[in-house]
């Protein structure tokens, strides 16, 4: 009835559309208020959490952090100020996260560290080693999985980004300002230096190293123990130290084997 009366009173006015829009917004505002009431202040640290989240009593949620609905946080997790934990995110015990936005339905295993300062220094005119400011964030997409004891640094000149549906194994190091696309797979002990850019659907085998400021195109696969020193611009399989197209790397290995056999014979 209230809606009908409002329409009848304002139908002939020039501001009908605007006023009716404001009227409708009252209902959405009420809905927002009801949804906000489901968030509460966490007893340890003063951060905000949703009532449906499952949080161990030892968890620290600092002021300025928020944990959304149906998230699960294990023992001794620390959620630093400025962090947003998205809906249905699972975080394993002893994980430390700060300066980070985590998307929906992510899995973060035990001991992961996200959002700490990157490794950036410069030498001043007196020869002193000074720290470069690390003031930006890390952004984790939706449906990302991060293995135990992996580290992802916050950005300095751009946010560190992990794309949707990417999967990261244990003991992986991702430096500051790194941008990783969607549906990438990083195997154990991969190391990616600062400001590298990696496209979509990239696979890095175990212990692959990527130097700073290089770019890797989408749909590249790198064999285990490879090292990327320069940009890879074409999709395909690569391997070696430094990384080259896979057929070239196999020829290099075959030549080395033949040469070593000649020396021993």
């Amino acid at each position: 009835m209230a809606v009908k009366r409002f329409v009848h009173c304002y139908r002939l006015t020039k501001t009908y559309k605007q006023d009716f829009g404001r009227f409708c917004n009252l209902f959405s505002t009420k809905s927002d208020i009801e949804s906000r009431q489901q968030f509460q202040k966490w007893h340890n640290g003063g951060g905000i959490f949703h009532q449906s989240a499952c949080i161990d009593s030892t968890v620290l949620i600092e002021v300025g952090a928020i944990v959304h609905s149906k998230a699960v946080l294990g023992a001794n997790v620390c959620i630093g100020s400025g962090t947003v934990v998205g809906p249905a995110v699972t975080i394993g015990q002893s994980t430390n996260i700060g300066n980070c936005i985590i998307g929906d339905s992510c899995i973060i295993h035990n001991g992961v560290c996200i959002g700490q300062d990157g490794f950036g220094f410069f030498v001043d005119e007196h020869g002193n080693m000074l720290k470069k400011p690390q003031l930006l964030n890390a952004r984790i997409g939706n449906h990302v999985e991060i293995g135990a004891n992996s580290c992802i640094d916050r950005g300095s000149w751009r946010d560190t980004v992990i794309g949707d549906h990417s999967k990261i194994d244990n003991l992986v190091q991702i430096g500051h300002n790194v941008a990783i696309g969607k549906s990438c797979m990083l195997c154990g002990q991969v190391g990616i230096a600062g400001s590298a850019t990696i496209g979509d659907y990239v696979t890095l085998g175990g212990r692959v190293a990527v130097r700073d400021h290089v770019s890797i195109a989408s749909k590249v696969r790198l064999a285990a123990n490879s090292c990327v020193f320069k940009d890879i611009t074409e999709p395909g399989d690569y391997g070696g130290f430094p990384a080259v197209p896979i057929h070239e790397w196999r020829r290099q290995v075959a030549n080395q084997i033949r040469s070593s056999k000649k020396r021993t014979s």
Side-chain angles (χ1 to χ4, degrees):
M1 290 295 294
V3 174
K4 288 182 179 179
R5 287 175 184 171
F6 183 90
V7 173
H8 178 72
C9 293
Y10 285 88
R11 188 177 298 276
L12 300 178
T13 67
K14 294 181 180 179
T15 59
Y16 163 71
K17 291 183 179 179
Q18 295 175 350
D19 290 339
F20 186 72
R22 293 192 193 101
F23 180 79
C24 292
N25 284 338
L26 292 176
F27 294 96
S28 62
T29 303
K30 288 180 180 178
S31 172
D32 289 343
I33 291 171
E34 290 175 359
S35 128
R36 287 172 189 168
Q37 288 174 345
Q38 296 178 356
F39 286 88
Q40 298 179 352
K41 185 177 179 181
W42 183 246
H43 67 88
N44 185 14
I48 303 300
F49 74 101
H50 194 273
Q51 290 178 349
S52 65
C54 180
I55 304 175
D56 189 271
S57 60
T58 60
V59 169
L60 170 66
I61 304 175
E62 294 182 351
V63 172
I66 183 167
V67 176
H68 280 277
S69 59
K70 299 181 181 179
V72 178
L73 277 62
N76 301 310
V77 168
C78 178
I79 305 297
S81 182
T83 299
V84 177
V85 177
V89 169
T90 300
I91 300 177
Q93 65 182 17
S94 302
T95 295
N96 196 315
I97 300 173
N99 310 299
C100 179
I101 300 171
I102 302 173
D104 301 352
S105 304
C106 294
I107 300 174
I108 299 174
H109 292 277
N110 298 354
V112 169
C113 291
I114 304 175
Q116 63 281 346
D117 285 355
F119 191 73
F121 301 89
F122 68 93
V123 179
D124 68 7
E125 64 273 16
H126 303 294
N128 299 315
M129 189 74 72
L130 302 179
K131 184 179 180 67
K132 290 182 178 179
Q134 311 286 313
L135 302 177
L136 299 181
N137 299 314
R139 291 192 287 117
I140 312 298
N142 301 323
H143 303 283
V144 172
E145 184 163 352
I146 302 173
N149 297 313
S150 292
C151 297
I152 302 173
D153 297 338
R154 69 191 296 195
S156 60
W157 63 270
R158 67 177 180 184
D159 287 347
T160 304
V161 178
I162 310 297
D164 295 347
H165 297 279
S166 289
K167 311 300 179 186
I168 298 171
D169 199 358
N170 303 334
L171 298 169
V172 171
Q173 161 65 25
I174 297 175
H176 57 183
N177 313 314
V178 169
I180 295 175
K182 65 182 180 181
S183 300
C184 292
M185 183 174 292
L186 279 58
C187 297
Q189 297 188 352
V190 162
I192 303 177
S195 303
T197 301
I198 295 175
D200 303 329
Y201 305 103
V202 171
T203 299
L204 306 183
R207 300 186 71 182
V208 165
V210 180
R211 66 154 290 177
D212 58 305
H213 295 276
V214 302
S215 296
I216 298 176
S218 296
K219 298 182 179 179
V220 165
R221 298 192 303 175
L222 280 152
N225 293 304
S226 301
C227 188
V228 179
F229 284 113
K230 60 182 182 179
D231 293 351
I232 296 177
T233 58
E234 297 295 331
D237 295 342
Y238 296 80
F241 186 101
V244 294
I246 198 74
H247 299 298
E248 183 178 341
W249 176 55
R250 287 171 178 164
R251 284 195 297 269
Q252 291 175 356
V253 172
N255 289 334
Q256 287 178 345
I257 293 172
R258 281 195 292 267
S259 297
S260 62
K261 285 182 178 179
K262 288 180 181 178
R263 293 194 197 99
T264 55
S265 60

